[in-house]
Amino acid sequence: MSGDYEAVIGLEVHVELKTKSKVFCPCSTEFGAPPNTHVCPVCLGLPGVLPVLNKQVVELALRAALALNCRVAAFCKFDRKNYYYPDLPKNYQISQYDLPLALDGYLEIDTEYGSKRVGIIRIHMEEDAGKLIHEGEALNPGKYSLVDYNRTGVPLLEIVSQPDMTSPEEARAYLEKLKAVLQYTDVSDCRMEEGSLRCDANVSVRPAGSTELWTKTEVKNMNSFRSVQRALAYEIERQIGLYEGGEQVVQETMAWDEAHGVTVPMRSKEEAHDYRYFPEPDLVPLRIEAEWIGRVKEHLPELPDARKHRLMQDYGLSAYDAGVITASRDLADYFDACVAAYPQAKTVANWLMGDFSRLLNSYNLEPRQAPVSPAELVELMVMIDRGKISGKMGKTVLEEMFATGKKAKDVVAEKGLAQISDAESLRPIIQEVIAANPGPVEDFRQGKEKALGFLVGQVMRATRGQANPALVNELLKESMN
Amino acid sequence: MSISLEEVEHVALLARLELGPAEKEAYTQQLNAILGYMEKLNELDTENVEPMAHVLPLANVFREDEVKPGLAPEAALDQAPDKHDNQFRVPKIV
Ligand SMILES: [Zn+2]
């Protein structure tokens, strides 16, 4: 970014709640089912049906609200947001408008200048819409769209931040942290590739250090955290470019084009935003008693920041290491399982942040899906400590464990990684051991077989356990006779 | 407060209603009559009255998070004017 400007970024995030059934009907929320197999008269919006609120939706929403330091409204209600689009069979979406579930929260993020608090304006509950598949191909578009209503009525939380972020990196840090909090609290899977976390951004620029707000644009269609960061970086430069060229930024909605790395204006009709909200007459309001809030608060699990501090305090990890490990609940759980069996926490951290993470990425897996269990990784670390294999070989062994799902000792045995089995590389070490231990050598020559065992042990130690013991035995005898 | 013909046209468009000139005229009058009555209600002092969120004196009606089978896709699509591969087919709107 040019030094004369700073960005003002606010994010609007939608996450799918981890419930078994939809928000207003008992249809399954399972992802990836064949089209229109999780539908019923309620979510299809057939006449005469009544929605009934899933209690678990409120429970999870409260959990998110409290974990994000929000004030929970004692009274809230649902409203109809009216618009016509084929993904919405009722022609309105049940959402919350003027009385949302929660307000005024914040999230602490780590930035290059230290910790920073990003405000959260509001959190509300709503239902998801269906999925449209456009027929035809890019070059030969069809006349029709196909509609699958399986996602219609899946519960969502909309989490709206204050425009407190000043760079694409901060926006990304906010998303990473939000994802961590929602995963720790089991509110959502936050899988952007499955659409269980979606993000739109409001962005404007202004002279650095100023408090004015200049015209903002809304950026949509970002499919990964990385694309959010790229899209914002592009949009900020685009806006600065306009001002520098004496032009103005137009308030409009931009779509991120991932393939070309640009934001382009989205065509939309003027009245598209005239939603004519009104209270949903089919649902009664919610009164959230302090007792309910207290119970949810009491059962909140350890959150990422607390876990990070625990890892620093209990295991002496650096803030950076603890931050990387606790960014994902999965990885933090994996870490805890490892250190329970193997107390050298720093070694565990190095493996998890290094080769283990690299291999997870290359296989596109979450830590809990790793083909190597914490116990198996511990086994590998122990083999290295005991000199059975070198640290360098350990990396190769881990790769093989990922590729084949085999245990470390089997990989080592099959690949012969542990042993030096050629006489030529062992002879100099054997000569050294003989020279350094005249007493035991003499004992052996006197017929004391036990002395041979000691000398073999010395060679094994000198080769960090990698020598083939049978061969060492043979070579020692040969050299001493 | 009164409502103009243009506003009636705008609301009709939002509701995807195609109205003839006579209907537009009639609805403009009817809507103005309704809004006129609202004006009358506005004369009341509602300073200390909580806005009403619902006509029923109820709150917190829930169902448990349990899955029940819904409709088979054939049944769900039975009345669809157009369909393809167990999906509703609609004119493309971008
Ligand atoms: Zn349903």
Side-chain angles (χ1 to χ4, degrees):
Chain A
M1 198 190 321
S2 154
D4 304 335
Y5 293 89
E6 67 181 20
V8 180
I9 301 167
L11 296 178
E12 200 180 289
V13 173
H14 286 90
V15 292
E16 249 178 49
L17 296 176
K18 261 171 96 171
T19 56
K20 298 198 267 299
S21 66
K22 293 185 178 180
V23 55
F24 301 121
C25 66
C27 289
S28 167
T29 55
E30 177 202 9
F31 182 80
N36 295 307
T37 51
H38 293 327
V39 294
C40 75
V42 174
C43 54
L44 286 174
L46 300 188
V49 295
L50 275 179
V52 185
L53 179 58
N54 182 343
K55 191 172 184 184
Q56 184 66 6
V57 169
V58 184
E59 184 80 21
L60 294 181
L62 286 174
R63 226 185 265 174
L66 295 171
L68 295 170
N69 311 293
C70 289
R71 176 167 58 79
V72 174
F75 180 84
C76 74
K77 67 173 171 72
F78 287 95
D79 300 277
R80 291 186 180 181
K81 177 179 178 176
N82 299 279
Y83 66 96
Y84 275 84
Y85 202 68
D87 64 2
L88 204 59
K90 302 191 297 295
N91 297 328
Y92 59 84
Q93 178 192 28
I94 302 178
S95 182
Q96 297 193 283
Y97 183 52
D98 55 340
L99 294 173
L101 177 84
L103 294 154
D104 300 332
Y106 64 85
L107 188 59
E108 299 272 359
I109 62 166
D110 293 322
T111 73
E112 54 178 323
Y113 310 108
S115 171
K116 171 173 177 170
R117 195 172 270 202
V118 176
I120 288 169
I121 298 175
R122 58 182 276 159
I123 299 180
H124 73 247
M125 301 173 278
E126 60 183 31
E127 58 178 344
D128 205 352
K131 192 170 87 181
L132 286 183
I133 297 157
H134 302 298
E135 277 188 337
E137 292 135 38
L139 293 174
N140 184 21
K143 281 162 63 189
Y144 298 100
S145 299
L146 300 174
V147 197
D148 170 12
Y149 288 123
N150 281 347
R151 304 319 290 164
T152 307
V154 166
L156 299 180
L157 278 191
E158 181 176 316
I159 302 166
V160 184
S161 87
Q162 295 279 4
D164 285 347
M165 289 154 277
T166 56
S167 69
E169 292 71 31
E170 281 187 16
R172 179 163 186 166
Y174 170 85
L175 287 173
E176 301 272 8
K177 192 58 168 291
L178 184 63
K179 174 180 168 175
V181 168
L182 297 175
Q183 285 183 339
Y184 272 62
T185 48
D186 237 354
V187 166
S188 173
D189 285 331
C190 297
R191 294 204 187 109
M192 231 172 161
E193 68 281 9
E194 287 182 7
S196 68
L197 186 153
R198 285 162 251 166
C199 172
D200 299 331
N202 284 304
V203 54
S204 62
V205 298
R206 65 183 175 199
S210 144
T211 53
E212 343 172 9
L213 285 176
W214 287 10
T215 307
K216 67 181 176 189
T217 58
E218 188 180 7
V219 186
K220 288 178 176 283
N221 200 36
M222 299 168 291
N223 299 318
S224 66
F225 287 0
R226 191 170 158 265
S227 68
V228 171
Q229 200 178 334
R230 287 178 67 206
L232 287 172
Y234 178 88
E235 181 60 17
I236 290 163
E237 286 303 328
R238 187 187 73 87
Q239 292 187 10
I240 292 171
L242 286 173
Y243 291 126
E244 297 275 280
E247 289 176 73
Q248 290 300 307
V249 169
V250 180
Q251 177 155 5
E252 62 186 333
T253 304
M254 310 291 290
W256 169 243
D257 178 341
E258 180 81 34
H260 299 98
V262 295
T263 56
V264 288
M266 277 174 93
R267 274 171 299 157
S268 64
K269 291 198 178 125
E270 285 164 46
E271 61 271 0
H273 291 292
D274 197 344
Y275 293 130
R276 296 149 293 142
Y277 284 96
F278 64 87
E280 166 58 271
D282 287 345
L283 288 162
V284 297
L286 282 174
R287 283 186 195 283
I288 300 174
E289 312 288 344
E291 185 267 324
W292 191 357
I293 297 171
R295 189 155 38 79
V296 174
K297 201 175 238 168
E298 202 180 305
H299 288 97
L300 275 186
E302 187 183 34
L303 294 176
D305 284 340
R307 197 154 182 180
K308 179 180 165 184
H309 285 116
R310 177 166 66 79
L311 260 50
M312 290 166 69
Q313 213 137 57
D314 293 3
Y315 301 110
L317 295 190
S318 68
Y320 176 81
D321 289 1
V324 172
I325 286 170
T326 55
S328 139
R329 179 184 178 174
D330 241 24
L331 193 63
D333 286 347
Y334 199 101
F335 174 86
D336 277 343
C338 287
V339 291
Y342 181 90
Q344 280 134 276
K346 179 63 188 163
T347 310
V348 174
N350 286 344
W351 277 100
L352 294 189
M353 297 189 307
D355 291 272
F356 184 77
S357 287
R358 178 177 58 79
L359 287 162
L360 284 179
N361 282 339
S362 69
Y363 287 95
N364 202 13
L365 297 171
E366 297 291 326
R368 88 192 109 78
Q369 303 167 310
V372 177
S373 71
E376 287 163 353
L377 182 64
V378 166
E379 222 174 272
L380 174 67
M381 292 185 287
V382 169
M383 285 179 85
I384 295 168
D385 289 349
R386 293 191 180 151
K388 294 221 166 91
I389 51 172
S390 67
K392 197 176 160 208
M393 277 174 182
K395 291 168 186 277
T396 314
V397 173
L398 187 64
E399 273 168 26
E400 196 62 20
M401 289 165 78
F402 262 81
T404 61
K406 288 180 181 162
K407 292 182 178 224
K409 66 174 188 326
D410 297 331
V411 171
V412 168
E414 277 169 34
K415 297 251 157 184
L417 288 172
Q419 301 181 335
I420 302 171
S421 296
D422 81 291
E424 284 327 299
S425 37
L426 286 175
R427 276 212 176 86
I429 303 162
I430 283 172
Q431 290 312 320
E432 273 175 42
V433 169
I434 288 174
N437 297 285
V441 170
E442 193 48 40
D443 286 351
F444 175 73
R445 286 184 176 141
Q446 300 292 325
K448 286 189 186 162
E449 281 293 317
K450 265 178 89 178
L452 182 61
F454 171 79
L455 293 167
V456 170
Q458 295 302 302
V459 177
M460 295 308 289
R461 226 172 105 179
T463 58
R464 300 181 67 205
Q466 285 166 264
N468 176 333
L471 183 61
V472 170
N473 219 299
E474 194 183 305
L475 292 172
L476 272 169
K477 280 184 187 166
E478 187 189 278
S479 311
M480 290 187 290
N481 285 331
Chain B
M1 183 186 166
S2 82
I3 195 163
S4 67
L5 187 69
E6 287 70 38
E7 282 167 313
V8 170
E9 285 172 341
H10 175 63
V11 172
L13 177 65
L14 290 175
R16 302 297 184 270
L17 292 173
E18 204 176 335
L19 302 180
E23 286 169 313
K24 285 180 193 170
E25 190 54 45
Y27 287 134
T28 307
Q29 277 177 24
Q30 289 176 6
L31 285 169
N32 273 316
I34 293 165
L35 289 171
Y37 182 62
M38 295 297 146
E39 297 276 280
K40 181 101 190 125
L41 290 179
N42 265 342
E43 289 168 16
L44 289 171
D45 178 8
T46 54
E47 186 73 22
N48 297 310
V49 180
E50 279 279 302
M52 187 179 72
H54 203 275
V55 290
L56 299 175
L58 284 174
N60 299 5
V61 175
F62 298 118
R63 41 171 276 271
E64 293 303 315
D65 184 24
E66 283 161 9
V67 174
K68 287 184 193 152
L71 295 170
E74 299 71 38
L77 286 139
D78 192 41
Q79 305 292 314
D82 195 5
K83 55 196 150 186
H84 180 70
D85 277 350
N86 276 347
Q87 290 163 92
F88 296 84
R89 191 158 82 159
V90 298
K92 186 170 164 183
I93 303 164
V94 174

